[in-house]
Each structure stands twice: as structure tokens, then as C-alpha cells.
Amino acid sequence: MSDKRMTEAQVVAQLQDGMTLGIGGWGSRRKPMSLVRAIAASDLKDLTIVSYGGPDVGLLCKTGKIKRLIFAFVSLDSIALEPHFRAARQAGEIEITELDEGMFLQGLRAAGWGMPFLPTRAGLGSSVMTPELKTLICPYTGQEVVAVPALKLDAALIHMHRADIRGNAQYLNDDPYFDDLFAMAADRTYLSTERIGLDDTCSHRYLINRMMVTGVVEAPGGAWFTDCSPDYPRDEALQRRYAATAKDPDAWRAFAAEFLGAST
Amino acid sequence: MSITRGDYCVIACAEAFRGDGEIMASPMAPVPKLGVGLALRTFEPDLVCTDGVAHLVDVQGKREGWMPYAKVFENLWWGKRHVMMGASQIDQHGNQNISALGPAHKPKVQLRGVRGAPGNTIHHTTSYWVGHHSPRVFVPLVDRISGVGPCNGAHEIRVVVTNLGVFDLCGPKQTMRLQSLHPGATVDQVQERTGFTVFIPDQIGTTRAPTAAELEIIEKLDPEARIRGAIKA
């Protein structure tokens, strides 16, 4: 029986420059922030990040890790606009592929299902239709649809409330988000968890099974200041402090020293 | 009791949902939420509403279903939804922008991203709420198209409600048309605060006043007019 426990540093050691990484959660909710912090503090570079974005994206923008971002939005929820992401975009520092939220979902599904693309009508007529995105004509009805390319991931990072050492894992909040789809879209999935030990009373919450998982990191508080209800809500004060560092280099240095263990 | 501009805005938002029946109503801002709350308690009792997190809730706030994001997408692709979104920009063709202002590779102002606006507008009924009618919002052409207008394949853009009046996309070549003015607002104000020429029909309606019973409901939903009070004429 395999024991997949590892540390954040061991996860980072298995990642490489230029990889495409998917990050689970949604906005500023149940993000695998201890893993994101470890990447932010590492030497990794030129990453393509695929995320329903929150502070994971902002932090990796601020620390210069992102070459390309595939996204539908980046938001801190209670703070509508993510200031570090905005700063990086307005400085022209990152390349983007902007997708509708549902197109993004179809791309993840395609990757998990071994399909080169999946069709959708979402996106037609809008600015997400850059030349890299193609449309098809339905052979039955003649209707035009978008062929959303598979969002294949080299690795996925997700945070779950409970897990065992083999990689079976549960969410205990009300929304699974798309963490299972991120896992199935990825060659390797690293999951952090609040606690090792499954909750037997929640049979319908087994979102992740061990076939999906390469490594398990026990990380109490691992979602950091993002929402991880019912274990803990978003730390709004800390999130406000994080957001305020976008306009104050000294505040950023203090924040990075305290939370990233680095003086970037 | 005098009826304020905010009250008329709530009525206009509520009226946007009239006739919708048993579909999911998704108001994305406080004033549209008041409008949906009023419609639900009066002429559209079958509307389906969420708690803003992952559950469907009835008029008393009691849970009646599960609606995590995965099911929201399926529901919206199904078409049984009417969303009332905000907008950083709307153009004369009813295209909306919440993504970014300026060039795509290096925007002058990065906003939150297109979110679900392209899919919403192509799959189901969409309305917009703009609390401050200004030429910065109503522009000739949006910088980026998030929500698509009728000429780009929208399912239905029902109305655009602002602090001045109610608009639709039934002008010439599916452009923006004044449908009704809130009492006190004028055609001149609309033209001054719009960055393109709004089509003004021969007959301009007046946004109806709330009834006494409706006003009582609105007061309960918005005690001391904390939400409505922020609406300027």
C-alpha cells in the first residue's frame, strides 16, 4: 500500500520550469495556498497557470512565476479585483488566454476524457474568440460551435478538507468546485489537506480518489487566508493586508518575509 | 411617503423578470436583488433563487435544492435562467464589457475578466443594471466584448435598467432604445449621459410607481433605504 505523504518542498522539487499547472478552488475559496506559497518562494519560472483565479494567481504574478495565464476571471470575492494580477496585466508582464467560465470547464473535461476538444456555444461572438480558438459546424444541424481545446495539465494542485495517506479525499463545504476535473486533466495531482483522516459520516463528499493523486501534503490551514469552510472562513483582515501590498513595496516586503519566508 | 428614484429602479428591475415563471433568477447586484425579491413576493412567485453560495432557497430563505457551480453551468446551458449583470461598458449594440479597458495584451485597466458573460448571453435571457448612467459606461463600441449583444448572437437582451430609465435593444438595427423614463428624468439627460445617440421612439413610457403593498415589501427588504438611497437622480 502506497503512502503518498510528502512536504510542500518535495512537491516543488517534482515541478519544472515551463510546466502547465492547474490550481483548484474558485476565486478566494479553498485554494491550495501552502503549495502556491512554496512555488512563489521557489526558483521555478515560466509557468502556465490554469485557474478560476484568486490570490493564487495574484501571488504568482507578483513573484514573477507566470509566463501565461489561462483564466475566466481573477477575483478575491470580497475584494472584486485582484490587485497583483491587475498590476501584472497593466504592465504587460503576462500572456493570457481568456475564456468564458463554461468554456474553461469544457477544456478541463476534454483533457480528462481524452478528447482533443469539446464543443460549446459559449464564447461565440465575444472577444475570447482569438485566432487560436477555432469553431466547427455541427454535421447534423449546421450550427456553429466553439471547439474548446483540451486544457491538459502537467500537474494539478488542489486543497481538500480531509484525505487519507493514499490520496482519497473529501470536501466538507457545499461546493466541490472543479477539483476532480483538474485532477483528471493532469498527469500528476498533488493535494494538500487540512487533516489526514477521512470523515466516515460524509459518504457523498468523496470527490477525489487515489487513482487521481500522486502526492498528499498534510497542511492544516493550507488554504491560508482563502475560505475553507467549515474548518475556517476566509481571513478577511489578512486578505485586505495582502491586497494593500500591491501599492506599497515596503508592505509587500514585510508580507513576503512573514508568509513566503523570502525577501522577494 | 414620497417615492424615490431608487424605488423606481427597484420596480424597473422587478418588471424585467415579469413573465419568467419557473426559471433561475440571478441578480448580480443589490438593486437587482431587491427587484427579484419584490417580483418573487408579488407577480413572479415561481422564480428560483439561490443563497449566493451553493444552494437554492425559497422565499423564506429555506433551502430547496443544491446549485454548486457545476450545476449552475448546466442550468445556464439549459437556458432556464435570467441573469441581471452589471457592466463596466455597454455599447449601442448591447455588447457588454467587464473584462478590461484598452489593448488586450496590455490593458489600461484590468477588470475581473469575462467571467460567464459570453455563455450567459448566448444561452439565456440577460438584462443589465447600471446604477450610474454615464458616457463612461455607455460607449459607442466596447473595448472587449464579454456579454454579446443581439447582433453577435445573444439569446435575448431584455432590458438595460439605469438610474435614468429603462432601455432595450429594439432601436434601428437592434440598437439601444429608450423604453421608459423614471419620473423626473429627461430625454436630454439620457442623451447627455450616453456616449452615442440613443434611439428615442415617438411614444416614451414612464416607469410605473410601486403600489402601497409593493412599497411595504421593498421597505422590509431594504430597511432605511440603505441600498435604494445610494441611487442618484
Side-chain angles (χ1 to χ4, degrees):
Chain A
M1 190 177 92
S2 53
D3 179 347
K4 296 178 185 167
R5 280 177 291 181
M6 52 203 300
T7 63
E8 283 93 352
Q10 286 170 323
V11 172
V12 170
Q14 293 193 5
L15 304 177
Q16 288 161 17
D17 293 349
M19 274 190 166
T20 297
L21 303 182
I23 302 176
W26 178 281
S28 187
R29 307 175 205 183
R30 199 153 47 73
K31 285 286 177 178
M33 293 302 287
S34 75
L35 290 167
V36 170
R37 285 154 67 190
I39 293 169
S42 75
D43 295 330
L44 285 169
K45 60 179 191 292
D46 296 332
L47 301 174
T48 292
I49 297 295
V50 179
S51 177
Y52 287 113
D56 52 332
V57 170
L59 200 53
L60 295 177
C61 280
K62 179 66 178 177
T63 51
K65 301 300 174 192
I66 302 183
K67 178 164 190 285
R68 184 174 201 85
L69 176 67
I70 301 177
F71 76 113
F73 65 85
V74 183
S75 173
L76 298 173
D77 295 320
S78 49
I79 299 171
L81 302 177
E82 216 298 346
H84 295 294
F85 159 69
R86 296 187 84 191
R89 284 282 288 139
Q90 290 167 194
E93 288 170 0
I94 58 172
E95 300 168 20
I96 60 158
T97 300
E98 186 173 14
L99 301 174
D100 166 83
E101 291 168 359
M103 298 175 84
F104 187 110
L105 167 54
Q106 289 295 71
L108 287 180
R109 280 186 178 145
W113 295 351
M115 293 290 292
F117 70 89
L118 278 174
T120 183
R121 287 168 59 211
L124 290 172
S126 79
S127 291
V128 303
M129 295 305 297
T130 55
E132 68 192 90
L133 277 173
K134 309 296 183 193
T135 63
L136 291 174
I137 301 300
C138 169
Y140 303 107
T141 64
Q143 188 176 22
E144 186 181 37
V145 294
V146 185
V148 185
L151 291 173
K152 287 172 68 76
L153 310 173
D154 293 308
L157 312 174
I158 60 177
H159 186 75
M160 302 295 287
H161 292 91
R162 303 288 180 270
D164 65 18
I165 62 173
R166 308 175 82 185
N168 300 301
Q170 299 165 303
Y171 71 101
L172 300 181
N173 64 318
D174 291 330
D175 196 323
Y177 310 126
F178 301 95
D179 288 2
D180 51 340
L181 299 185
F182 275 99
M184 292 168 75
D187 291 338
R188 288 179 271 159
T189 292
Y190 300 97
L191 91 80
S192 56
T193 185
E194 289 298 314
R195 193 187 304 167
I196 297 286
L198 294 168
D199 183 340
D200 294 337
T201 64
C202 296
S203 63
H204 62 294
R205 308 275 188 172
Y206 291 98
L207 185 70
I208 302 296
N209 67 62
R210 59 193 168 86
M211 292 183 284
M212 301 172 175
V213 176
T214 302
V216 177
V217 178
E218 185 168 24
W224 194 20
F225 63 73
T226 72
D227 176 71
C228 196
S229 303
D231 287 333
Y232 47 89
R234 184 182 303 123
D235 184 338
E236 298 288 356
L238 190 52
Q239 176 162 287
R240 279 195 296 275
R241 186 181 155 196
Y242 160 79
T245 62
K247 290 203 167 140
D248 183 343
D250 289 337
W252 167 254
R253 275 188 288 275
F255 187 88
E258 189 173 344
F259 294 105
L260 304 182
S263 53
T264 43
Chain B
M1 195 186 306
S2 67
I3 298 165
T4 66
R5 183 63 59 86
D7 296 323
Y8 285 105
C9 290
V10 172
I11 288 294
C13 288
E15 285 291 338
F17 291 85
R18 186 182 285 276
D20 277 340
E22 208 153 43
I23 55 119
M24 189 159 92
S26 299
M28 299 295 196
V31 170
K33 277 180 189 148
L34 287 178
V36 167
L38 177 63
L40 180 68
R41 287 162 177 80
T42 52
F43 54 83
E44 285 298 330
D46 290 332
L47 288 176
V48 176
C49 298
T50 76
D51 61 1
V53 188
H55 284 95
L56 300 175
V57 289
D58 70 11
V59 68
Q60 272 94 36
K62 187 170 163 286
R63 283 182 181 178
E64 60 173 356
W66 188 44
M67 190 59 66
Y69 284 113
K71 287 188 177 286
V72 171
F73 291 132
E74 290 182 354
N75 194 81
L76 82 86
W77 292 333
W78 192 25
K80 294 213 174 196
R81 186 171 185 238
H82 180 172
V83 68
M84 187 174 264
M85 292 191 278
S88 301
Q89 293 180 320
I90 296 183
D91 66 26
Q92 57 195 319
H93 305 291
N95 299 301
Q96 167 244 32
N97 179 17
I98 51 173
S99 168
L101 307 181
H105 67 284
K106 188 180 175 185
K108 191 154 163 280
V109 180
Q110 175 66 48
L111 302 167
R112 66 194 73 186
V114 296
R115 297 221 65 147
N120 290 347
T121 45
I122 210 126
H123 281 280
H124 61 66
T125 301
T126 299
S127 293
Y128 294 106
W129 159 248
V130 176
H132 182 63
H133 196 125
S134 91
R136 291 180 61 183
V137 176
F138 290 97
V139 294
L141 288 172
V142 292
D143 292 7
R144 285 177 70 66
I145 299 173
S146 304
V148 301
C151 60
N152 282 313
H155 174 81
E156 179 195 11
I157 305 299
R158 187 162 301 163
V159 287
V160 179
V161 178
T162 81
N163 58 321
L164 296 181
V166 181
F167 304 82
D168 59 28
L169 276 302
C170 297
K173 296 183 182 170
Q174 298 177 303
T175 54
M176 201 166 111
R177 177 181 79 162
L178 176 61
Q179 197 179 77
S180 77
L181 285 169
H182 304 325
T186 65
V187 169
D188 285 348
Q189 285 176 337
V190 167
Q191 294 293 20
E192 279 162 22
R193 299 187 201 176
T194 305
F196 52 85
T197 305
V198 181
F199 180 72
I200 309 294
D202 293 338
Q203 299 286 327
I204 305 167
T206 302
T207 307
R208 75 167 175 89
T211 64
E214 286 175 330
L215 211 47
E216 203 172 306
I217 293 167
I218 297 171
E219 294 288 347
K220 272 196 191 128
L221 295 174
D222 183 29
E224 292 161 41
R226 272 190 287 269
I227 295 166
R228 288 164 293 155
I231 305 302
K232 304 248 186 324

